[in-house]
Amino acid sequence: MKPLTLIRSSSALRVAPVALLLVFAYYATDLGDDLRIDPLGYSATVVDAVLRNLLPVAFAVASSLAAWEARKLGVADIWRLGAVRSRYTIAAQHLTPVIALAWSLLILPTVCALVQTQTAPDLPGITLLAFGLVLCVAHGVVGFAAGAAIRHIAVVPIIAVTDFLAVGWSTGLETPWPRHLSGLFAGKMMFGELPTAAGLVAPLMLAVGSAVAVALLWTPVSRWLRGAIAGALVFACAFGSFSLVSNWSYIGPRSTGHGSIACAGQSPRICLPEARAERISALAEEAEATLETLRRAGLPAEPTSLTDTSLSLRYPEPSTEDDWTVPLGVGEATGTVRYQIAREVVRFECAPPATGPARQVYYWVSSKVGQADTYLRRLSSEPDFTPQERSRLQERVGKVLRLSEAQQMDWYETTVSEACEEDGNTT
C-alpha cells in the first residue's frame, strides 16, 4: 500500500485533530503549573514535566488505535495475504501512522515547553524523550496484538481506558512498585538528575518484553512452542523488572551530575548552573567582600569553593571546612547572599545544637555582615519565636556587639560550645 493511501485510511488521521487539541488544551492548563519551575537550563526537567502529564494519554492512543487497525485488518481478511507479505510487514505498515501520532503527542508539547522555558535540548532531556517514545511503540505493539486476537469492537475502548488508568493511577497507589514499572517518574526531575539505569531498564524490560512476546506468537512454528516461549519471556521480564524496583520508595533512585555547570574565580571558586554563568562575577565580588568581613571579625572564613545548592537539591552535599554548599541562587534572588554565606561559617560539633545559643550565634554572625533583619525574618516563621524572645535576642547580642573584637570572639567560641552542652532543637 502506498504511504499516502496508508495514511488516509488510518484511524490515526481521523483521531489526530481531536487528540492534539485535547493535549494542547491540557498543556495550556494543568501542565502550566509544572512548567513554572525554573529548569536552570536543564532540559530533562522540562521533558519530565511533559512526560509525567502526557505519557498515559500517548500510551492509550497508541494501544487503542493499534487495536483498531488490527481489528480492521482481521475483519477485512487481510491476514490471508501472509503468503505475499508477512504479518510483521503488514503490522509495521499499519502501526506506523498510529505510532507517529502517539509520538507527536509527546514531541510537539515538549518542543513547545522547551521554547516556553527558553531551554535548549541536551542529552539528558533527549534520553528521557527517547525513553517515552520507545514505550509508545511497545504499547502500540501490545494493543495491535490484542486487536488481532479479539476482533470485537469493544476491545478498542477497553484497551484505551485500561492502559490510561493502569499507567495514570499507578502514582496514586500506596504500593510503590507499580509506579516504577509504568514509565512515570514520581517527583520532579531536579537539576542534573536522571533516573538510574535500573529506573529506565525496569519499565522498558516489562513493556518491550511484553511486545516482543506477543510478536513471537506470529512466528511460523508450532503453536505450543511459540506460546511457551512467549509466556516464558513475559514471566522473565515481569519478574526481572519487579525484582529491580520491589524495594524502592515513592521516588526511585536518581543519578546526579548530568547538568552543565559553570565555575569561575579562585579562593573561593564559585560554581553555578551554566544557565546562571553571567551572574558569577557579581556573586564572586559579594562573596569575597562577605568573607573578608567575617575574617576581620576573627572567623575562619577561607573556603576554597562555594557551590550553589541547586546543583544537588535532592541529595545535598554538606559543607566542609574548605568546600561550602550555599544557596547562592536563592540568596541573589532575595538579596540575602551575605546572610547565606555567613551561616556557613558557623560550625557546631553536634546536631542539632541547642536553640537558644544557636540563635544568638546566627544572629551575631548575621549582624556582622549587615543582614541581621534577614535572620530575624527567618525566625519569625517559627511558632516559639515570640516578640519577647525577639527582644531578648536583640538585647543579648546587642551587648556582645559593643564589646571588643577579641571579647566577641571569646563569647562566640563559648556560646558555640554551650550549644552542644544541652539538648537542642531546630535553629
Side-chain angles (χ1 to χ4, degrees), residues 59-60 63-64 67 139 142-144 146-147 154-164:
F59 291 168
S63 59
S64 60
H139 280 255
V142 173
F144 192 90
V155 71
V156 177
I158 289 175
I159 286 179
V161 173
T162 301
D163 205 357
F164 180 83

Side-chain angles (χ1 to χ4, degrees), residues 229-251:
I229 294 175
L233 179 59
V234 170
F235 176 80
C237 290
F239 180 78
S241 57
F242 173 76
S243 299
L244 287 174
V245 306
S246 59
N247 295 324
W248 292 358
S249 59
Y250 180 80
I251 297 179

Side-chain angles (χ1 to χ4, degrees), residues 11-267:
S11 58
L13 181 63
R14 289 181 284 276
V15 173
V18 177
L20 290 170
L21 181 62
L22 289 175
V23 163
F24 279 102
Y26 189 78
Y27 176 92
T29 54
D30 290 0
L31 188 55
D33 293 336
D34 283 334
L35 292 178
R36 289 191 181 98
I37 185 174
D38 185 1
L40 302 174
Y42 185 59
S43 72
T45 299
V46 180
V47 175
D48 172 66
V50 174
L51 295 185
R52 282 188 292 107
N53 285 275
L54 298 182
L55 269 184
V57 178
F59 291 168
V61 168
S63 59
S64 60
L65 293 186
W68 177 274
E69 291 298 311
R71 175 188 171 275
K72 182 175 66 175
L73 293 173
V75 171
D77 288 333
I78 298 298
W79 300 127
R80 295 181 179 180
L81 300 177
V84 179
R85 293 183 297 168
S86 72
R87 285 192 169 194
Y88 296 112
T89 300
I90 297 172
Q93 289 178 339
H94 286 81
L95 273 175
T96 299
V98 171
I99 298 303
L101 173 60
W103 282 9
S104 67
L105 299 182
L106 299 179
I107 294 174
L108 295 179
T110 296
V111 172
C112 292
L114 291 172
V115 172
Q116 178 182 335
T117 58
Q118 299 181 355
T119 306
D122 53 24
L123 183 58
I126 294 172
T127 298
L128 280 184
L129 181 58
F131 167 80
L133 299 183
V134 172
L135 288 179
C136 282
V137 176
H139 280 255
V141 171
V142 173
F144 192 90
I150 307 171
R151 297 182 182 178
H152 195 281
I153 186 63
V155 71
V156 177
I158 289 175
I159 286 179
V161 173
T162 301
D163 205 357
F164 180 83
L165 295 182
V167 175
W169 282 9
S170 64
T171 56
L173 299 176
E174 293 184 4
T175 304
W177 65 263
R179 65 173 60 95
H180 301 306
L181 299 182
S182 67
L184 297 182
F185 301 111
K188 295 180 179 179
M189 206 69 62
M190 303 295 186
F191 178 83
E193 286 187 348
L194 266 184
T196 60
L200 295 172
V201 167
L204 285 174
M205 183 188 302
L206 180 62
V208 175
S210 299
V212 172
V214 297
L216 288 176
L217 294 176
W218 286 357
T219 54
V221 296
S222 167
R223 176 182 299 180
W224 295 107
L225 178 59
R226 66 193 183 196
I229 294 175
L233 179 59
V234 170
F235 176 80
C237 290
F239 180 78
S241 57
F242 173 76
S243 299
L244 287 174
V245 306
S246 59
N247 295 324
W248 292 358
S249 59
Y250 180 80
I251 297 179
R254 305 275 171 88
S255 59
T256 58
H258 301 285
S260 298
I261 65 173
C263 297
Q266 295 292 333
S267 297

Side-chain angles (χ1 to χ4, degrees), residues 264-301:
Q266 295 292 333
S267 297
R269 186 170 178 80
I270 309 291
C271 292
L272 299 168
E274 192 172 34
R276 292 177 172 170
E278 74 280 356
R279 307 176 188 177
I280 290 184
S281 297
L283 283 171
E285 291 180 6
E286 190 162 12
E288 289 172 3
T290 303
L291 293 172
E292 180 60 30
T293 299
L294 294 172
R295 285 193 290 267
R296 286 200 302 268
L299 294 166

